[in-house]
Amino acid sequence: MNIQNDYSRQVNILNPEEFNKRINIIGAGATGSWMSLALAKMGLKNICVYDFDEVGMHNLPNQMFGVRDIGRNKALSIKAIIKLFTGFLISAKNEEVNGDTPLQGIVFILTDTMKSRKDIYYKAVKNNPNIDLLIETRMDLRGGRIYAIDPKNREHTRLYEETLYSDDEAEVSACGVSQTVLPTALGIVSHAIWKLLNHINKERFEHETILDFSNEIVFTQIWED
């Protein structure tokens, strides 16, 4: 059966036929798995997911995967799930992103350690002339942070780099080892996607967003160019 997806109810915000820049999702865990599915459900097909980890039992409560995915590579599992939900194929890479990875367009850094985020940023993203927007998320049990910058903008990169810290300073979080809860992951994904949508529509968006879901607090900042 050949079924054509109908995106008519969202075209005032996003017409997938008019946006085909590459979307790179690095990390397919608590935020990356849902991010991949959400963007694909909105009709964005030019997606490449990177992750070299396998699905474990502890991933099922807060990530997109099902029981049948246990032991499988996360990126390849997401590709199969998106094919089931949307009917089209995205790209998936069972590999680690490094300085040789040809990133372009939109880049989401959604990995589970500060070290990996910094390595990807400095090796493959900063000053990369082919990248239009970097969105990076961090998560703890009850909230998180989202950064959205132009990696070619000196002031954006300066302010963003001031927010980077070591894993020793980071709280053990949903993207790390200890505790996680699904609503936090979904909330962060929603905020991050709206930054992308505002970028696509050339509308103003905050470069830093700090979320405290348990107290329903949102703090935002716009970094001037």
Side-chain angles (χ1 to χ4, degrees), residues 5 35-36 40-41 48 63 74 111 114 127 131 133 137 143 150-151 156 159 184 210-211 224:
N5 292 323
M35 183 75 69
S36 304
K41 289 281 284 182
C48 186
Q63 299 181 20
K74 288 185 175 181
T111 56
M114 288 303 302
N127 298 324
I131 297 176
L133 179 69
T137 71
D150 175 356
H156 288 188
L159 292 169
T184 299
I210 301 174
L211 304 166
E224 300 300 331

Side-chain angles (χ1 to χ4, degrees), residues 26-40:
I26 306 170
T31 51
S33 60
W34 295 112
M35 183 75 69
S36 304
L37 179 61
L39 293 178

Side-chain angles (χ1 to χ4, degrees), residues 31-199:
T31 51
S33 60
W34 295 112
M35 183 75 69
S36 304
L37 179 61
L39 293 178
K41 289 281 284 182
M42 295 178 75
L44 299 178
K45 302 177 182 179
N46 194 6
I47 296 173
C48 186
V49 180
Y50 295 85
D51 202 306
F52 55 91
D53 195 12
E54 293 182 350
V55 179
M57 287 290 293
H58 63 285
N59 298 138
L60 300 189
N62 73 311
Q63 299 181 20
M64 185 184 67
F65 309 105
V67 173
R68 71 172 190 173
D69 299 306
I70 294 172
R72 298 178 180 177
N73 172 258
K74 288 185 175 181
L76 298 179
S77 293
I78 284 175
K79 180 178 180 178
I81 292 169
I82 287 175
K83 177 66 165 62
L84 176 65
F85 272 84
T86 67
F88 57 77
L89 289 173
I90 65 164
S91 297
K93 306 286 186 181
N94 179 7
E95 62 186 54
E96 185 174 7
V97 172
N98 56 44
D100 296 324
T101 306
L103 299 179
Q104 59 178 296
I106 311 299
V107 174
F108 286 89
I109 299 181
L110 310 175
T111 56
D112 56 8
T113 66
M114 288 303 302
K115 181 182 184 304
S116 62
R117 295 185 187 105
K118 289 192 290 185
D119 285 348
I120 294 165
Y121 168 72
Y122 283 113
K123 292 178 181 178
V125 175
K126 183 179 179 181
N127 298 324
N128 185 332
N130 299 313
I131 297 176
D132 300 315
L133 179 69
L134 164 66
I135 299 178
E136 186 246 306
T137 71
R138 307 170 197 177
M139 181 165 59
D140 58 37
L141 181 60
R142 299 176 183 270
R145 294 172 179 253
I146 307 165
Y147 294 93
I149 68 166
D150 175 356
K152 303 181 294 297
N153 183 299
R154 286 189 178 182
E155 186 64 7
H156 288 188
T157 57
R158 182 186 71 81
L159 292 169
Y160 172 69
E161 288 166 17
E162 290 179 358
T163 75
L164 298 173
Y165 43 81
S166 70
D167 284 300
D168 290 337
E169 299 173 78
E171 179 181 350
V172 175
S173 69
C175 288
V177 178
S178 184
Q179 295 188 348
T180 179
V181 62
L182 179 60
T184 299
L186 295 177
I188 289 173
V189 167
S190 294
H191 279 270
I193 289 176
W194 270 106
K195 292 185 187 298
L196 172 60
L197 294 175
N198 287 337
H199 168 79

